[in-house]
Amino acid sequence: MSKPSSRNEPMTIARLAQHLGLAEGTISRALNNYPDIAEKTRQRVQKAAREMGYRPSSSARRLARGVIETIGFVLPTCRTQHSDPFLAEILNGLATELSLHDWDLLVTSVPDGHDEVDVIDRLVGSNKVDGFVIARTRREDARVNYLRQSGVPFVVQGRTDHPDDYSWLDIDNEQAFVEAVTYLRGLGHVKIACLGGDPTMNFAWQRRSGYLRAMAEQNGHIGVGYLIDGITDELTAFRAAQRLLAITENDRPTALLCVTDAVAIGAMHALTRAGLRVGEDISIMGFDGLPIGRAVQPALTTLHQDSYEIGREAGRMVLDLCTNPPSAPKQTLWQAKLTPRASVNPPAQSPAQQNKGGF
């Protein structure tokens, strides 16, 4: 058996073969677990490969296996996509999980004049990816409809209105808002307003549904103008909160439930600008559990979802689909965790006084 060469030289199959006194074909087949290689030889080759720092060539491995080892992610076409901290954390978790398995993440955006399906179709047609992860789903989503027909493995972060026949990972958004209303009602709030998102987005629709269901079941009061849809960022939230503050003081809500943390922070700015105290005059609750929620004053009560771990799990799911196609879709529903902080407190008056109006 020859001595190994300098550590500065890259370890190759040829060098392993020379070191072990075996044919290069035997080394390759042992590393790839071919059944015609004796178990003793396979273990010997793989042990030497580990000790000598051998790493297979990505291009050679992909050619041998007939896979690209790349997952595609097309950024959703929305104005705030590049500043969406929730989406950024999902991508971070997804990229981390893929890299642990020597797979790559291809992230691309949508050029002007095209839509997300155009980009997905181009990636499928050019064989640049083995599968997709998609996020920020609409209730009726053209991306999901396309991928259903394409035969390409995909995992959805979120769901559509009809999610039975594909793999997805989602948060129980409706139940989370039911629990949020329950928590506020338990503190004595009756007049609870809601800043909802785009109702064509499934997560926003589910949260809206949870708010309405819980308010009806728990005898909450939804006054005129309490439910405002289409709030997608801090600026629109700031303006929507100003509309709520324009309601006469006797009819004004004492608590505000927001579709995201970013929306909640925009509403907090509006209250502060108006000279009101968040958590004392009006309580505010968000959704996402973003780190910035701990830094604002007062700290933001939120419904926490671990966006980084969501990305990790989506990565595990899509890798499994690409390497071990299941007989049935895998569907996972996680629960959000209520995280109380200083932005939510009991109303300034008792429930009996609140029913009469005023703070």
Side-chain angles (χ1 to χ4, degrees), residues 33-286:
N33 296 311
Y34 277 75
D36 59 338
I37 301 298
E39 179 66 18
K40 184 177 180 180
T41 301
R42 184 182 66 80
Q43 291 182 2
R44 178 182 170 220
V45 169
Q46 293 186 0
K47 180 176 183 291
R50 288 192 299 270
E51 291 174 347
M52 299 177 70
Y54 171 76
R55 288 183 61 84
S57 161
S58 296
S59 58
R61 183 181 66 244
R62 292 167 180 175
L63 181 63
R65 295 179 180 177
V67 295
I68 305 160
E69 296 184 344
T70 299
I71 298 299
F73 189 101
V74 179
L75 291 170
T77 50
C78 62
R79 183 168 53 85
T80 58
Q81 64 182 11
H82 300 298
S83 60
D84 184 341
F86 174 74
L87 192 60
E89 279 293 291
I90 286 180
L91 284 172
N92 187 17
L94 175 59
T96 297
E97 187 63 35
L98 295 178
S99 68
L100 290 174
H101 298 271
D102 292 326
W103 280 55
D104 298 322
L105 177 64
L106 174 60
V107 180
T108 185
S109 58
V110 179
D112 292 341
H114 296 266
D115 60 25
E116 292 158 74
V117 173
D118 292 334
V119 178
I120 292 171
D121 182 63
R122 175 175 60 79
L123 293 175
V124 171
S126 59
N127 293 316
K128 289 186 175 180
V129 298
D130 291 298
F132 289 90
V133 172
I134 64 175
R136 292 300 196 201
T137 50
R138 297 185 178 276
R139 297 171 63 198
E140 182 66 31
D141 199 296
R143 299 168 300 171
V144 174
N145 293 337
Y146 172 88
L147 288 168
R148 277 172 164 145
Q149 303 299 321
S150 72
V152 177
F154 70 100
V155 169
V156 176
Q157 184 277 307
R159 285 171 287 169
T160 60
D161 276 349
H162 304 287
D164 295 338
D165 61 344
Y166 59 84
S167 294
W168 51 260
L169 167 65
D170 201 5
I171 296 294
D172 194 342
N173 293 290
E174 181 170 345
Q175 181 59 32
F177 261 41
V178 168
E179 292 176 4
V181 170
T182 301
Y183 180 73
L184 292 170
R185 291 289 290 116
L187 291 175
H189 292 280
V190 175
K191 297 184 292 185
I192 304 170
C194 178
L195 297 187
D198 178 353
T200 69
M201 303 298 293
N202 202 47
F203 77 92
W205 182 257
Q206 291 170 339
R207 294 173 195 178
R208 182 186 197 274
S209 299
Y211 164 74
L212 292 173
R213 175 160 70 89
M215 290 292 281
E217 292 174 350
Q218 300 181 39
N219 298 315
H221 174 67
I222 303 178
V224 176
Y226 275 24
L227 175 57
I228 305 177
D229 289 316
I231 310 305
T232 57
D233 55 28
E234 291 186 36
L235 181 58
T236 53
F238 183 91
R239 293 169 177 165
Q242 287 181 320
R243 288 166 54 187
L244 289 172
L245 296 179
I247 297 173
T248 59
E249 188 168 336
N250 285 343
D251 297 322
R252 192 183 295 166
T254 62
L256 180 54
L257 184 56
C258 299
V259 68
T260 65
D261 283 351
V263 167
I265 290 170
M268 291 173 72
H269 290 323
L271 267 64
T272 301
R273 178 76 64 86
L276 296 176
R277 300 162 299 174
V278 176
E280 296 183 49
D281 296 319
I282 297 180
S283 290
I284 294 183
M285 185 186 301

